[in-house]
């Protein structure tokens, strides 16, 4: 017991080193998204996320955008609880038959102009769930999609790049009507 006590006093902890506090490339990307959003909308960008039937892998990466490392709120990007407060509808997973109506109603509740982003390979065409009796298909089977971010799951950085491309390359007011 005494030996363990002494060891614990001098040994390094067995945890990984924390990432560097400022990842310059990430900060630059997130700042650019925030600035383009302000220029286009005159305010912060609000995102409503809907899991239409995913395995939750994509959700873990989306949640990472809000963790202490990515912390995208500091750049003016917010995830909101109500679709009525959202500019962007971010959808993960294949659209299951059970979730189809809820997704359509959420889409209708987002005010115009709005953008729809399909996240992950499942969001594109159903991914590994394609063909299942429980699945309608990709997000575009149910609503117009402005951007697809590929990957299984896509990284938080890929999602930020997608958001930037979406905001920069769609004309003002040309989002999904
Ligand atoms: S794309 Fe991959 S991680 Fe995302 S919901 Fe589908 S299987 Fe899961």
């Amino acid at each position: 017991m005494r030996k363990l006590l002494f060891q614990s006093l001098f040994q390094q902890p067995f945890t990984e080193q924390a990432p560097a506090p400022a990842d310059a490339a990430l900060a630059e990307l997130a700042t650019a998204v925030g600035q383009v959003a302000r220029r286009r909308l005159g305010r912060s960008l609000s995102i409503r996320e809907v899991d239409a039937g995913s395995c939750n892998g994509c959700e873990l990466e989306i949640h990472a955008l809000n963790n202490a490392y990515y912390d995208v709120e500091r750049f003016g990007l917010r995830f909101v609880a109500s679709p009525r407060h959202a500019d962007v509808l971010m959808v993960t997973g294949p659209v299951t038959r059970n979730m189809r109506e809820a997704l359509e109603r959420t889409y209708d509740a987002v005010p115009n102009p709005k953008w729809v982003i399909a996240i992950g390979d499942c969001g594109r065409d159903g991914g590994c769930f394609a063909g299942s009796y429980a699945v309608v298909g990709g997000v575009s089977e149910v609503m117009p999609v402005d951007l697809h971010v590929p990957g299984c799951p896509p990284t938080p950085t890929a999602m930020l790049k997608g958001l930037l491309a979406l905001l920069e390359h769609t004309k003002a007011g040309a989002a999904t009507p």
Side-chain angles (χ1 to χ4, degrees):
M1 181 65 189
R2 207 173 337 152
K3 188 178 162 201
L4 274 176
L5 206 61
F6 274 115
Q7 272 179 351
S8 66
L9 284 175
F10 300 108
Q11 257 179 1
Q12 290 287 324
F14 289 116
T15 51
E16 287 178 24
Q17 288 294 318
D23 181 332
L26 172 68
E28 198 178 313
L29 180 60
T31 304
V33 177
Q35 284 174 347
V36 177
R38 280 205 185 81
R39 201 170 63 235
R40 297 290 304 277
L41 303 167
R43 54 178 167 70
S44 301
L45 186 76
S46 298
I47 305 163
R48 173 74 166 104
E49 196 258 328
V50 173
D51 175 351
S54 91
C55 74
N56 273 355
C58 286
E59 269 64 37
L60 290 175
E61 301 302 315
I62 291 172
H63 292 171
L65 286 169
N66 283 318
N67 70 17
Y69 179 67
Y70 289 96
D71 190 18
V72 291
E73 281 214 5
R74 72 194 145 129
F75 302 108
L77 306 173
R78 296 184 303 138
F79 281 84
V80 291
S82 168
R84 297 188 194 287
H85 302 159
D87 306 298
V88 171
L89 185 59
M90 189 176 262
V91 187
T92 63
V95 181
T96 58
R97 295 191 191 284
N98 283 350
M99 276 299 292
R100 180 180 191 148
E101 185 184 343
L103 182 61
E104 286 172 338
R105 288 171 68 173
T106 304
Y107 175 81
D108 290 341
V110 178
N112 291 319
K114 55 192 164 193
W115 291 277
V116 176
I117 303 182
I119 298 290
D121 293 348
C122 292
R124 181 186 54 210
D125 55 12
C128 53
F129 302 105
S132 162
Y133 67 91
V135 161
V136 179
V139 181
S140 58
E141 297 286 331
V142 175
M143 61 189 54
V145 172
D146 299 287
L147 178 78
H148 166 241
V149 181
C152 182
T155 62
T157 307
M159 293 182 217
L160 280 176
K161 283 183 181 164
L163 271 173
L164 183 60
L166 183 73
L167 290 171
E168 275 188 336
H169 298 300
T170 52
K171 288 188 188 130
T176 308

